[in-house]
Amino acid sequence: MKKLLVMLCGVMLLVVSGCCSLGQCKITMEKNAVLLDVRTPTEYQKGYLQGAINLPQADVDTKAATVVPSKDTPVYVYCRGGREATMATEKLLKQGYTDVHNLGAMKDARKLLGLPTAK
């Protein structure tokens, strides 16, 4: 019973202290990181996160190496709603990229990175 109580207390501490669960988490991208916007070019032209490169999810298989030549470069991926970012992340990992971060939807990525929107 005592072990169970200790485990529950540990889990509660993790939940309570987890900054991301409270919406306060920020991510700091490394200097050599690449921020990929995997939405369509039309969506990208309407606004994107400052510094993002547009590589539509449909082109990740064929053009990722052009945009991110080194497989150990940190890559942060976002899209409109999260689904395309997940698919692009999986494609990058299958190609051998080792440091890929799925940020989900653009609004979530903006909050996590603290970046402004550009046009």
Side-chain angles (χ1 to χ4, degrees), residues 18-117:
C19 67
C20 290
S21 64
L22 300 175
Q24 300 170 353
C25 190
K26 295 279 187 208
I27 295 174
T28 303
M29 290 188 353
E30 297 88 332
K31 286 186 180 185
N32 66 330
V34 174
L35 179 59
L36 289 182
D37 180 325
V38 296
R39 298 175 301 150
T40 66
T42 303
E43 291 172 315
Y44 181 80
Q45 289 171 356
K46 291 179 183 177
Y48 53 90
L49 295 183
Q50 185 177 15
I53 298 169
N54 185 225
L55 177 62
Q57 185 275 131
D59 296 335
V60 170
D61 283 329
T62 58
K63 297 181 181 175
T66 304
V67 177
V68 189
S70 177
K71 304 263 180 166
D72 62 347
T73 298
V75 181
Y76 295 82
V77 183
Y78 74 89
C79 67
R80 184 172 45 112
R83 186 173 152 258
E84 300 290 320
T86 298
M87 294 187 330
T89 298
E90 290 171 1
K91 288 180 178 183
L92 290 167
L93 291 170
K94 285 181 184 174
Q95 291 178 48
Y97 288 89
T98 59
D99 195 1
V100 183
H101 307 271
N102 181 355
L103 301 177
M106 182 176 168
K107 64 179 178 143
D108 298 326
R110 184 172 43 84
K111 288 177 189 175
L112 286 169
L113 298 172
L115 292 175
T117 303

Side-chain angles (χ1 to χ4, degrees), residues 2-19 21:
K2 188 175 181 180
K3 287 182 182 181
L4 179 60
L5 182 59
V6 170
M7 285 180 16
L8 286 174
C9 287
V11 169
M12 291 295 289
L13 181 60
L14 288 173
V15 170
V16 171
S17 67
C19 67
S21 64

